Amino acid sequence: MPDVRRWHAELAWLGAGEVQAGVLIEAAGPVLRTVTPGVAADAVPPGTERLAGLTLPGLANAHSHAFHRALRGVTEQGQGTFWTWRERMYQVAGRLTPDSYLALARAAYAEMTLAGVTCVGEFHYLHHGPDGVPYADPNEMGRALLLAAGQAGLRITLLDACYLSGGLALGGRAEPLAPVQRRFSDGTAERWAERVASLGSDEHGVLAPHARAGAAIHSVRAVPPDQMHPVVAWTHGFGAPLHAHLSEQPAENEASVAAYGLTPAQVLDGAGALGPRSTMVHATHLTRQDIALLGGSRSCACFCPSTEAFLADGIGPAAALAAAGCPLSLGSDSHAVVDLLLEARLVELGERLQTGERGHFGAAALAAAACGAGHACLGWPEAGEIVPGAVADLVTVRLDTPRLAGTAPPSALESVIFAGTAADVSQVVISGRDVVRDGQHLLVPDVPAALAAAIRPLLT
Ligand SMILES: [Zn+2]
């Protein structure tokens, strides 16, 4: 019998509905067994742990590039565009080794768990050694990420990205790989599929108890349409998630139309890359027809609003996509900040700034994007709610911090989503295991020191 644990949450939002008071939660190993609201604090069984504040299901960070964490602040010097930011990002990409990537990713993932993230979708394209020479194990970089997640205590979906060409020029011409991009490419989608097969997942895509396999088409810029099919076909083998960057910049759309006579969403649709297991990341610059295509296919749209603001991408049509039928999930992408509560409220605030109206997404809808929809789009549909049978993730946000003091229980979820920060997260249980307690990471004892030690050598 797995260990049975019990918690008594002062307040809990269970993944849907209203905030509940006095919720007795029982888990057997990594799975929740019973969830009982309305239990008085003095009526709980002996040994029950108290969770003061508002307890949420686990938060999923559905779009991460772990190595971008090294660029925080650095890329805010001076001016520039997405494309000048990308040059600086490539400098760090060119320096990473499996060892330095492990150290950086472990520290970045530890920062995420401190912020309440229980599962990360790592959109991974830094596959090979410098100049594109594969490592002895061609998945050495991907394995470093899996190990990093295990050491930081959170679950991971390794979204192994196919990345073949250097981009599309505005006229639609395919550009050759720049020297640093050779690390990203397997040459062809068939060779991508061979390498990913050698990761060694089981027939369900399970890589380890904490890790599942997924795929990504980096973007229409980096994968020609005739190379998309092997990636799509691979995901059908065990129903794996398929992610792609979509229409982050107007230049991507212009190049796609020039090259193919189609928008990026239409190109992906033509390749069979849309559907309920697919997640389109950013989805910022869409036509009305694109929105209808994504909604009709029930593709998920992953918004990364802080990154989209930092990179001057634009504000995507979140409300229109949701109305069309797309679930929404959230990612911190470039990790300019790591705070899923911030990402959640920025979706609504972006809509307000664009429309001059309030109230497009309520706190529960935004929390559902961060929790249930985020996990579902990473291939963990059994996580992201506090219900019997779900994965035992609990994220407790203190309500006695300077930001949240005075919170009224009936509007506790609104307070946390619209005013809470990562720094207010105090306790994190992931798959039944304590990972953060009293704001301290239990597996990576000094997260700031780990971040500093990992980042410093990459920037000098
Ligand atoms: Zn990205």
Side-chain angles (χ1 to χ4, degrees):
M1 270 294 287
D3 286 349
V4 172
R5 293 183 66 186
R6 292 182 190 86
W7 300 267
H8 186 253
E10 179 186 5
L11 297 171
W13 182 72
L14 306 179
E18 304 289 313
V19 168
Q20 308 281 335
V23 183
L24 181 63
I25 302 163
E26 186 179 270
V31 178
L32 296 174
R33 200 158 73 174
T34 63
V35 177
T36 314
V39 177
D42 59 4
V44 301
T48 300
E49 299 169 50
R50 297 190 187 280
L51 299 174
L54 176 65
T55 295
L56 303 171
L59 308 177
N61 191 351
H63 190 66
S64 161
H65 307 285
F67 74 90
H68 292 193
R69 175 62 182 82
L71 296 163
R72 183 178 297 178
V74 173
T75 49
E76 294 306 314
Q77 295 174 312
Q79 297 179 309
T81 65
F82 170 88
W83 308 101
T84 51
W85 168 86
R86 195 177 73 155
E87 287 308 309
R88 191 75 183 85
M89 182 268 282
Y90 279 176
Q91 289 173 12
V92 171
R95 290 184 172 191
L96 284 160
T97 65
D99 285 346
S100 62
Y101 206 7
L102 171 62
L104 177 57
R106 177 174 51 226
Y109 293 159
E111 181 187 358
M112 285 183 205
T113 55
L114 287 172
V117 173
T118 54
C119 186
V120 61
E122 179 65 31
F123 195 110
H124 168 54
Y125 54 85
L126 196 50
H127 302 304
H128 302 299
D131 298 327
V133 179
Y135 292 105
D137 172 358
N139 288 303
E140 195 163 346
M141 293 295 249
R143 289 192 210 285
L145 293 164
L146 300 175
L147 186 58
Q151 292 177 346
L154 82 172
R155 297 186 302 275
I156 183 171
T157 296
L158 186 67
L159 299 161
D160 195 299
C162 183
Y163 192 122
L164 302 175
S165 53
L168 284 175
L170 272 184
R173 180 175 43 83
E175 293 180 309
L177 292 164
V180 68
Q181 293 173 321
R182 289 184 205 137
R183 303 193 74 173
F184 309 163
S185 176
D186 295 295
T188 67
E190 275 78 16
R191 292 221 292 278
W192 170 88
E194 285 168 21
R195 180 179 54 72
V196 174
S198 71
L199 263 170
S201 70
D202 72 7
E203 69 271 32
H204 307 294
V206 174
L207 292 160
H210 76 291
R212 293 182 182 172
I217 291 169
H218 178 276
S219 60
V220 167
R221 287 186 284 116
V223 183
D226 63 359
Q227 294 287 309
M228 291 178 181
H229 179 70
V231 184
V232 175
W234 180 85
T235 70
H236 292 322
F238 44 78
L242 173 64
H243 287 221
H245 291 120
L246 176 70
S247 293
E248 182 175 7
Q249 287 282 327
E252 175 185 330
N253 291 4
E254 293 166 27
S256 177
V257 170
Y260 310 120
L262 299 168
T263 64
Q266 290 172 323
V267 170
L268 288 162
D269 179 53
L274 301 183
R277 282 190 285 103
S278 295
T279 295
M280 298 296 117
V281 181
H282 303 303
T284 307
H285 300 282
L286 302 180
T287 66
R288 286 229 305 274
Q289 291 85 349
D290 290 342
I291 292 169
L293 262 184
L294 297 182
S297 68
R298 297 294 182 264
S299 299
C300 179
C302 179
F303 274 55
C304 308
S306 70
T307 291
E308 289 148 13
F310 278 107
L311 296 186
D313 287 343
I315 301 172
L321 285 164
C326 293
L328 297 185
S329 62
L330 301 169
S332 66
D333 190 5
S334 68
H335 312 316
V337 288
V338 169
D339 188 337
L340 269 285
L341 302 174
L342 171 70
E343 303 296 343
R345 66 179 163 267
L346 285 178
V347 171
E348 165 64 13
L349 297 182
E351 287 290 328
R352 293 184 187 184
L353 288 168
Q354 277 195 314
T355 64
E357 291 179 8
R358 293 153 45 88
H360 304 269
F361 294 97
L366 297 170
C371 298
H375 276 98
C377 88
L378 296 176
W380 298 85
E382 72 274 45
E385 289 185 81
I386 302 175
V387 293
V391 173
D393 289 346
L394 301 171
V395 173
T396 303
V397 182
R398 289 176 56 156
L399 300 177
D400 58 355
T401 65
R403 290 159 295 278
L404 294 171
T407 291
S411 56
L413 188 64
E414 284 76 10
S415 292
V416 165
I417 292 295
F418 285 100
T421 73
D424 302 316
V425 172
S426 61
Q427 310 273 120
V428 182
V429 174
I430 303 180
S431 301
R433 173 196 199 192
D434 289 320
V435 177
V436 175
R437 185 181 282 259
D438 298 328
Q440 296 298 310
H441 204 290
L442 302 179
L443 306 176
V444 180
D446 188 341
V447 176
L451 283 163
I455 292 169
R456 208 174 296 120
L458 297 171
L459 297 181
T460 51

